[in-house]
């Protein structure tokens, strides 16, 4: 059976002898500050499966943190990369026009979820770079200095995006930080104060956002409000549609650009190509979308989409970069997009979500340690609380640590998330087979049982 079709199988102690040797070399040469969760070495990977150098096979529910939506080593993507590599790798877009950049930008523009038509596409290399460029575009286009971001947000590790990121564990000792970044409360409904829910909870969070205009930056100085449609690092917390709609109205009232950071939520994960498609369908599209991670099936590529009318207001020469829209990455991205459209990956995400949500919700009934189950499409999180459960909702990161450790010993790669480290995320490649998904769910439940 090919690796692509196989089921998780652990044959050695973990890590095995060959993996151990690689990890020893890693410890010597790779800075410890680039922290690692698993003592796991990848030798090859196909679909949703990873093989280590000792022949152990793992089902990957993390996918390089949302990079592998299309699956590892898909033949069409590999072939597109091979073909482009035989022609040329690089073109500096300021010097020589790279047709692959143009073809990919045209293709993604056709699927654009943002407000305005026509749109233009700026390509870059990483998620942080895309987010940073979205802010630069918004500042230049509006002539305003400030931005508003949210509690629980993760936007990257550059100086600006580290500042935009909420969790300060990611920026200890890295100051001074850039000015002009203000923070409002994200609608984390499970933890809404006083158990508020429904319209009352939405009204509370909208009010919290408007307080920033009073306490920190008047709206006429705000260029952009930047949010994640589903917070990733923040704990897989979806932004409620009604809240996004209200934020859109606030932006319209004050001439502020609304930016959706789709670095983790993009490329079919949510049940649409972009999560922002849901907003467009509802009649309240965002102004700017950023994307990265899964766009090129594992090669570095990111981008910003917004109306040409907005892009036209950006001062010439202020955005760009040497490797922006690398030809090999763009060739891969074209193949990824075609495969996702031809095989309806958004529908695959919704089918996976149905299967998983049925199991996760059943577990919630069975195990008081599960406080919340939530998500958008196949971007799902299970939040764990202390056994006393109930209104205290005390986070239980220790239990999550035990489940994650137990799962990889059985061949399932899980990862935690969340401000309190008490959420287990689901970011499995969307090409996972039914048998693999069922095996993963069985391993996960066995690990909950043995970790309680
Ligand atoms: C929502 C979001 N934005 C931005 C980033 C930063 O992306 P990168 O690590 O490619 O810079 C991430 C990475 O996890 C992310 O999840």
């Amino acid at each position: 059976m090919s690796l692509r079709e196989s089921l998780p199988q652990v044959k050695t102690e973990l890590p095995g002898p060959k993996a151990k040797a690689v990890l020893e070399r890693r410890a010597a040469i790779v800075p410890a500050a680039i922290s690692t969760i698993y003592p796991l070495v990848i030798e090859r990977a196909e679909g949703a499966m990873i093989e280590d150098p000792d022949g152990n096979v793992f089902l990957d529910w993390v996918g390089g943190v949302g990079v592998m939506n299309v699956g590892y080593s898909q033949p069409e993507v590999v072939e597109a990369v091979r073909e482009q590599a035989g022609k040329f790798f690089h073109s500096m877009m300021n010097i020589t026009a790279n047709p692959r950049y143009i073809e990919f930008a045209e293709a993604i523009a056709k699927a654009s979820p943002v407000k305005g038509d026509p749109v233009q596409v700026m390509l870059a290399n990483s998620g942080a770079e895309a987010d940073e460029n979205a802010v630069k575009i918004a500042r230049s286009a509006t002539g305003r200095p400030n931005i508003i971001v949210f509690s629980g947000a993760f936007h990257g590790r550059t100086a600006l995006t580290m500042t935009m990121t909420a969790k300060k564990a990611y920026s200890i000792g890295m100051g001074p930080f850039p000015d002009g970044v203000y923070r409002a409360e994200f609608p984390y409904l499970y933890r809404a104060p006083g158990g508020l829910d429904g319209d009352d909870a939405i009204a509370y969070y909208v009010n919290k956002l408007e307080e920033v205009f009073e306490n920190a930056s008047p709206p006429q100085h705000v260029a952009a409000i930047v949010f994640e449609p589903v917070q990733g690092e923040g704990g897989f917390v979806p932004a409620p549609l009604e809240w996004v709609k209200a934020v859109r109205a606030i932006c319209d009232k004050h001439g502020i650009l609304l930016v959706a950071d789709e670095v983790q939520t993009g490329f079919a994960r949510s049940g649409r190509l972009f999560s922002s498609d849901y907003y467009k369908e509802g009649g309240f599209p965002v102004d700017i979308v950023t994307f990265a991670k899964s766009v090129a099936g594992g090669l570095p590529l990111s981008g910003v989409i917004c109306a040409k009318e907005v892009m036209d207001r950006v001062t010439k020469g202020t955005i760009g970069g040497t490797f922006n829209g690398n030809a090999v990455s763009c060739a891969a991205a074209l193949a990824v997009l075609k495969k996702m459209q031809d095989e309806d990956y958004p529908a695959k995400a919704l089918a996976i979500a149905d299967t998983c949500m049925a199991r996760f919700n059943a577990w919630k009934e069975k195990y008081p340690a599960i406080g919340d189950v939530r998500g958008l499409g196949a971007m799902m999180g299970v939040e764990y609380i202390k056994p006393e459960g109930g209104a205290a909702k005390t986070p239980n990161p220790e239990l999550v640590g035990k489940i994650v450790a137990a799962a990889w010993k059985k061949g399932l790669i899980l990862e935690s998330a969340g401000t309190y480290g008490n959420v287990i995320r689901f970011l499995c490649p969307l090409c996972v087979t039914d048998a693999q998904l069922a095996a993963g769910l069985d391993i996960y439940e066995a690990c909950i049982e043995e970790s309680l």
Side-chain angles (χ1 to χ4, degrees):
M1 187 189 283
S2 70
L3 179 57
R4 197 175 297 281
E5 300 295 324
S6 59
L7 294 174
Q9 202 192 2
V10 176
K11 303 172 189 158
T12 69
E13 282 281 292
L14 290 180
K18 290 183 182 155
K20 244 187 209 153
V22 176
L23 292 164
E24 275 164 23
R25 285 165 55 204
R26 177 196 160 120
I29 197 70
V30 179
I34 304 175
S35 53
T36 178
I37 296 174
Y38 284 103
L40 174 61
V41 177
I42 177 166
E43 183 69 20
R44 66 189 186 106
E46 284 178 7
M49 307 306 290
I50 287 178
E51 189 176 13
D52 79 359
D54 299 290
N56 298 305
V57 174
F58 301 87
L59 170 59
D60 184 359
W61 272 21
V62 186
V65 192
V67 173
M68 299 313 308
N69 289 359
V70 81
Y72 289 96
S73 312
Q74 292 292 18
E76 306 89 323
V77 182
V78 173
E79 190 42 45
V81 167
R82 251 195 208 117
E83 196 187 325
Q84 183 56 41
K87 292 179 181 162
F88 68 95
F89 285 15
H90 172 69
S91 134
M92 170 80 180
M93 273 301 270
N94 310 52
I95 312 292
T96 44
N98 157 17
R100 296 301 93 70
Y101 180 128
I102 296 159
E103 288 157 18
F104 176 65
E106 285 171 350
I108 201 70
K110 276 197 193 115
S112 158
V114 305
K115 189 176 165 185
D117 186 20
V119 297
Q120 288 189 326
V121 182
M122 183 214 170
L123 296 180
N125 306 289
S126 69
E129 232 188 303
D131 286 349
E132 189 142 353
N133 276 290
V135 171
K136 287 171 70 176
I137 288 164
R139 283 179 168 155
S140 191
T142 60
R144 300 174 177 189
N146 297 335
I147 58 167
I148 297 176
V149 292
F150 292 94
S151 55
F154 186 88
H155 297 292
R157 287 186 170 86
T158 60
L160 177 63
T161 56
M162 211 165 41
T163 310
M164 293 164 69
T165 291
K167 201 172 184 174
K168 291 306 148 196
Y170 290 118
S171 55
I172 292 170
M174 293 293 171
F177 300 103
D179 205 356
V181 179
Y182 300 101
R183 196 171 303 283
E185 234 180 284
F186 191 79
Y188 191 164
L189 294 185
Y190 174 62
R191 294 189 176 275
L196 280 177
D197 61 10
D199 292 347
D200 294 341
I202 301 296
Y204 167 84
Y205 289 108
V206 170
N207 186 43
K208 280 285 162 194
L209 171 59
E210 286 183 314
E211 278 180 13
V212 177
F213 298 147
E214 292 298 322
N215 301 334
S217 171
Q220 62 271 25
H221 292 178
V222 178
I225 294 176
V226 186
F227 76 104
E228 293 157 82
V230 181
Q231 287 196 330
E233 298 305 302
F236 282 48
V237 187
L241 288 181
E242 284 310 310
W243 177 82
V244 178
K245 195 173 175 181
V247 176
R248 172 74 267 174
I250 291 172
C251 288
D252 287 342
K253 182 170 166 200
H254 299 293
I256 297 169
L257 295 172
L258 185 56
V259 181
D261 173 348
E262 293 242 28
V263 167
Q264 202 165 142
T265 54
F267 288 88
R269 175 60 52 188
S270 68
R272 296 288 187 275
L273 189 63
F274 292 104
S275 303
S276 297
D277 285 314
Y278 289 109
Y279 314 146
K280 194 173 185 181
E281 287 163 21
F284 45 98
V286 299
D287 297 291
I288 301 181
V289 155
T290 63
F291 60 84
K293 288 195 185 274
S294 271
V295 53
L299 286 180
L301 188 69
S302 67
V304 183
I305 312 177
C306 75
K308 179 175 183 304
E309 175 272 317
V310 174
M311 289 288 197
D312 281 346
R313 286 187 264 145
V314 179
T315 307
K316 209 168 177 181
T318 55
I319 58 172
T322 302
F323 286 112
N324 286 5
N326 170 272
V328 181
S329 295
C330 286
L334 278 161
V336 167
L337 185 61
K338 184 170 181 332
K339 187 169 175 69
M340 284 189 169
Q341 288 172 336
D342 288 353
E343 296 177 22
D344 202 351
Y345 264 60
K348 283 188 201 289
L350 294 176
I352 290 169
D354 280 349
T355 305
C356 290
M357 278 303 205
R359 278 295 278 278
F360 294 164
N361 280 314
W363 296 349
K364 186 169 169 249
E365 296 302 311
K366 196 164 156 196
Y367 306 114
I370 294 183
D372 196 27
V373 168
R374 56 182 176 250
L376 182 67
M379 186 162 176
M380 295 167 277
V382 178
E383 176 154 357
Y384 290 83
I385 54 175
K386 297 276 186 198
E388 67 265 22
K393 298 181 180 174
T394 310
N396 198 342
E398 299 82 13
L399 177 60
V400 163
K402 279 193 203 165
I403 296 170
V404 169
W408 96 278
K409 295 272 178 194
K410 296 185 200 300
L412 174 66
I413 303 174
L414 297 177
E415 198 199 355
S416 64
T419 306
Y420 314 104
N422 66 324
V423 176
I424 293 183
R425 55 176 110 198
F426 180 94
L427 284 173
C428 182
L430 301 172
C431 61
V432 64
T433 67
D434 292 347
Q436 288 164 347
L437 192 60
L441 286 162
D442 289 346
I443 293 174
Y444 190 174
E445 184 166 10
C447 294
I448 297 173
E449 290 273 359
E450 74 178 59
S451 305
L452 282 171

